[in-house]
């Protein structure tokens, strides 16, 4: 295949002809070692622990480079050590690298099980109560929920989503819409630049409760807080927000048989 | 030593062992998993910085053709948990000497590791992960 391109537009046009079935265009996030090193240098690991849960907080944005081995977990750890001599301040971030290592080890232990639930659901419902397909309104960012539609739009445009947004979206799909985690995981894999079956599918299972001791859910207060109110302010569904309840009420509504 | 080529897979897009190298877009997998152009483009941009021949099609056929074109009887690649890649590696091993190398681990953990929950893994990994 070709390796010389006059511009990024030229590359995109070439790839469209070579992969005519692939949806969309290039991401604004660039591939390659040079881009990876720029992102790594720009990452302020010291701010990570305190702000990482906010959509506008400091996160590394290294996941796509790690997924494709442009950078390695060991290499990023070494980079931090070289720069700061000591990792004590960076426990949360090193733990995040370790999560990726952990998912890979789980995947390697049972590669053929990555699309199967590791454990039974703890939602009080059997898997047969969950729909197999992700509905078109979710896939097309047309649910009328500003948050979920924004996440899908960002995912499809950039191939990246903040981890908290991934968790909210997964909880919405699996628990609020009662759709099988596999449908959401497959949707993510077709778009995420960092999509790998280990981190992606096992995180979906963590939310679904097939790889955790209880289902993960969120409420409006949580989403509004960590998105700094930006998503809820102009939401067309703000008067009938399905997430506007206490955790206790949501649990009773979503999991009445538990 | 017989001639060798390097098969670069999609979880190791970094400089290889200095051998003639090939990457193959697995078109059947991309179609089946509905990979968007963003994903393909990201990998392509990674490859453009590397000394690697880019192909598309069936990886087993393409890697074999690449090895033959270099007169190589050995194929070097990295270990992967991906079952599809593992089965492609097995197929290639029927016609070539396949050398599967281990990537550098994040932490060295000896013996059996309990992977039931992250917390159990982290009990073992935290020491080596945080150690200077």
């Amino acid at each position: 295949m070709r390796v010389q391109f006059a511009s990024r537009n030229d590359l995109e046009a070439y790839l469209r002809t070579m992969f005519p079935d692939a949806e969309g265009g290039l991401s604004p996030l660039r591939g390659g070692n040079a881009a990876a090193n720029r992102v790594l240098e720009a990452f302020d690991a010291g701010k990570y622990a305190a702000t990482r849960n906010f959509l506008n907080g400091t996160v590394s944005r290294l996941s796509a480079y790690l997924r494709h081995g442009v950078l390695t977990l060991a290499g990023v750890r070494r980079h931090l050590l070289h720069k700061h001599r000591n990792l004590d301040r960076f426990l949360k971030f090193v733990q995040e690298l370790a999560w990726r290592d952990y998912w890979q080890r789980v995947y390697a232990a049972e590669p053929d099980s990555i699309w199967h639930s590791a454990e039974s659901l703890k939602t009080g419902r059997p898997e047969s109560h969950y729909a197999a397909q992700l509905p078109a309104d979710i896939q097309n960012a047309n649910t009328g929920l500003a948050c979920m539609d924004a996440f899908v739009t960002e995912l499809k445009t950039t191939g990246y989503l903040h981890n908290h947004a991934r968790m909210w979206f997964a909880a919405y799909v699996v628990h609020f819409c009662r759709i099988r985690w596999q449908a959401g995981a497959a949707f993510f894999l077709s778009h995420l630049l960092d999509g790998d079956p280990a981190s992606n599918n096992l995180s979906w299972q963590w939310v679904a409760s097939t790889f955790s001791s209880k289902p993960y859910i969120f409420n409006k207060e949580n989403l509004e807080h960590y998105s700094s109110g930006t998503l809820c302010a102009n939401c067309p569904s703000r008067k009938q927000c399905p997430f506007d309840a206490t955790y206790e009420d949501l649990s009773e509504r979503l999991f009445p048989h538990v | 030593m017989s001639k060798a080529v390097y098969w670069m897979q999609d979880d190791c897009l970094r400089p290889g062992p200095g051998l003639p190298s090939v990457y193959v877009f697995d078109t059947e997998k991309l179609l089946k998993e509905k990979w968007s152009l963003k994903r393909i483009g990201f990998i392509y941009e990674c490859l453009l910085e590397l000394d690697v021949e880019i192909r598309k099609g069936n990886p087993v056929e393409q890697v074999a053709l690449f090895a033959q074109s270099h007169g190589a009887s050995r194929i070097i690649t990295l270990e992967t948990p991906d079952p599809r890649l593992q089965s492609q590696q097995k197929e290639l091993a029927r016609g070539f000497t396949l050398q599967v190398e281990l990537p550098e681990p994040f932490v060295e953990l000896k013996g059996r590791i309990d992977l039931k929950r992250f917390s159990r893994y982290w009990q073992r990994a935290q020491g080596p992960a945080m150690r200077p």
Side-chain angles (χ1 to χ4, degrees), chain A residues 1-3 5 8 11 14-15 18-19 21-26 30-34 64-65 67-70 72-74 77-78 81 87 91 94-95 98-99 101-102 104-105 107-108 111-112 119 155-159 189-193 195 211-212, chain B residues 9-15 25 27 29-31 33-49 52-56 81-83 86 104-109 113-119 121-122 125-132:
Chain A
M1 296 179 75
R2 261 176 71 189
V3 292
F5 298 93
R8 214 165 179 245
L11 168 66
Y14 172 71
L15 292 177
M18 298 306 284
F19 300 96
D21 296 302
E23 180 190 325
L26 293 185
R30 287 174 183 249
N33 187 257
Y65 305 105
R67 153 67 177 93
H68 288 297
V70 180
T72 64
L73 294 172
R77 181 186 171 279
R78 226 176 359 252
L81 251 180
L87 294 175
L91 175 71
V94 175
Q95 199 173 46
W99 268 103
D101 181 50
Y102 170 69
Q104 287 294 317
R105 288 173 188 262
Y107 185 25
D112 293 319
E119 299 165 17
L155 172 70
K156 289 170 92 169
T157 313
T158 68
L189 280 185
S190 72
H191 292 287
L192 282 173
L193 301 187
F211 202 109
S212 56
Chain B
Q9 293 167 167
D10 71 5
D11 46 7
C12 54
L13 306 181
R14 55 181 177 272
F25 282 99
T27 39
K29 174 188 155 142
L30 300 188
L31 260 183
E33 296 183 1
K34 297 184 182 154
W35 276 43
S36 61
L37 203 75
K38 298 181 289 294
R39 293 210 65 184
I40 295 167
F42 184 84
I43 291 178
Y44 213 96
E45 286 184 314
C46 294
L47 295 170
L48 288 177
E49 288 185 4
V52 57
E53 185 166 316
I54 308 170
R55 296 182 172 215
K56 72 180 187 109
D82 183 334
Q86 284 176 1
E104 182 187 14
F106 173 58
V107 285
E108 291 271 11
L109 299 175
I113 305 147
D114 185 349
L115 296 172
K116 173 86 174 159
R117 290 286 182 262
F118 175 79
S119 54
Y121 155 87
W122 184 238
Q126 182 170 0
M130 295 300 293
R131 199 172 296 142

Side-chain angles (χ1 to χ4, degrees), chain A residues 77-93:
Chain A
R77 181 186 171 279
R78 226 176 359 252
H79 169 87
L80 273 182
L81 251 180
H82 179 73
K83 205 167 166 182
H84 304 282
R85 294 184 179 190
N86 176 320
L87 294 175
D88 292 350
R89 284 170 56 219
F90 310 114
L91 175 71
K92 269 287 169 206
F93 181 65

Side-chain angles (χ1 to χ4, degrees), chain A residues 54 147 168 218-233 238 244:
Chain A
F54 289 88
C147 50
W168 291 327
F218 67 94
N219 66 7
K220 182 184 178 216
E221 189 186 355
N222 174 272
L223 189 145
E224 198 165 21
H225 176 65
Y226 288 107
S227 59
S228 309
T230 52
L231 295 165
C232 302
R238 64 187 177 279
D244 191 8

Side-chain angles (χ1 to χ4, degrees), chain B residues 52-115:
Chain B
V52 57
E53 185 166 316
I54 308 170
R55 296 182 172 215
K56 72 180 187 109
N58 176 324
V60 175
E61 287 170 17
Q62 292 299 324
V63 173
L65 284 171
F66 180 77
Q68 283 157 6
S69 74
H70 286 271
S73 59
R74 272 190 311 137
I75 295 168
I76 296 176
T77 193
L78 282 190
E79 189 182 69
T80 171
D82 183 334
R84 186 176 175 92
L85 284 171
Q86 284 176 1
S87 98
Q88 291 167 351
Q89 288 178 350
K90 274 185 201 148
E91 267 193 72
L92 279 166
R94 291 197 199 117
F96 297 87
T97 304
L98 192 78
Q99 196 174 317
V100 180
E101 312 225 314
L102 295 176
E104 182 187 14
F106 173 58
V107 285
E108 291 271 11
L109 299 175
K110 299 254 184 314
R112 190 184 160 273
I113 305 147
D114 185 349
L115 296 172

Side-chain angles (χ1 to χ4, degrees), chain A:
Chain A
M1 296 179 75
R2 261 176 71 189
V3 292
Q4 298 288 335
F5 298 93
S7 65
R8 214 165 179 245
N9 287 343
D10 186 20
L11 168 66
E12 182 172 298
Y14 172 71
L15 292 177
R16 274 190 211 284
T17 61
M18 298 306 284
F19 300 96
D21 296 302
E23 180 190 325
L26 293 185
S27 165
L29 305 172
R30 287 174 183 249
N33 187 257
N37 282 321
R38 277 197 300 275
V39 174
L40 182 59
E41 280 301 331
F43 173 48
D44 184 351
K47 286 188 181 158
Y48 179 79
T51 67
R52 71 196 180 107
N53 285 328
F54 289 88
L55 294 192
N56 61 359
T58 298
V59 291
S60 76
R61 300 184 77 101
L62 291 172
S63 53
Y65 305 105
L66 289 166
R67 153 67 177 93
H68 288 297
V70 180
L71 302 174
T72 64
L73 294 172
V76 171
R77 181 186 171 279
R78 226 176 359 252
H79 169 87
L80 273 182
L81 251 180
H82 179 73
K83 205 167 166 182
H84 304 282
R85 294 184 179 190
N86 176 320
L87 294 175
D88 292 350
R89 284 170 56 219
F90 310 114
L91 175 71
K92 269 287 169 206
F93 181 65
V94 175
Q95 199 173 46
E96 215 53 44
L97 296 176
W99 268 103
R100 191 164 281 273
D101 181 50
Y102 170 69
W103 295 134
Q104 287 294 317
R105 288 173 188 262
V106 174
Y107 185 25
E110 282 190 66
D112 293 319
S113 302
I114 202 70
W115 288 100
H116 301 292
S117 293
E119 299 165 17
S120 56
L121 287 157
K122 286 93 186 172
T123 58
R125 299 178 195 277
E127 293 212 12
S128 59
H129 286 195
Y130 292 73
Q133 306 293 332
L134 196 62
D137 65 334
I138 297 181
Q139 294 198 46
N140 296 330
N142 199 22
T143 64
L145 299 165
C147 50
M148 299 304 152
D149 292 346
F151 300 152
V152 169
T153 302
E154 186 182 354
L155 172 70
K156 289 170 92 169
T157 313
T158 68
Y160 176 80
L161 262 192
H162 186 285
N163 187 54
H164 218 156
R166 298 182 195 205
M167 288 165 60
W168 291 327
F169 182 77
Y172 168 65
V173 167
V174 177
H175 301 308
F176 289 83
C177 301
R178 218 175 304 145
I179 293 162
R180 294 183 67 197
W181 65 262
Q182 289 92 335
F187 178 61
F188 266 19
L189 280 185
S190 72
H191 292 287
L192 282 173
L193 301 187
D194 60 37
D196 93 284
S199 299
N200 180 64
N201 292 18
L202 294 165
S203 298
W204 274 84
Q205 293 210 52
W206 185 87
V207 167
S209 75
T210 54
F211 202 109
S212 56
S213 55
K214 60 173 192 205
Y216 166 82
I217 55 168
F218 67 94
N219 66 7
K220 182 184 178 216
E221 189 186 355
N222 174 272
L223 189 145
E224 198 165 21
H225 176 65
Y226 288 107
S227 59
S228 309
T230 52
L231 295 165
C232 302
N234 299 309
C235 177
S237 306
R238 64 187 177 279
K239 288 191 177 142
Q240 58 276 338
C241 172
F243 317 123
D244 191 8
T246 64
Y247 280 105
E248 202 172 30
D249 288 347
L250 283 177
S251 289
E252 269 175 37
R253 191 210 309 166
L254 298 172
F255 316 118
H257 311 299
V258 171

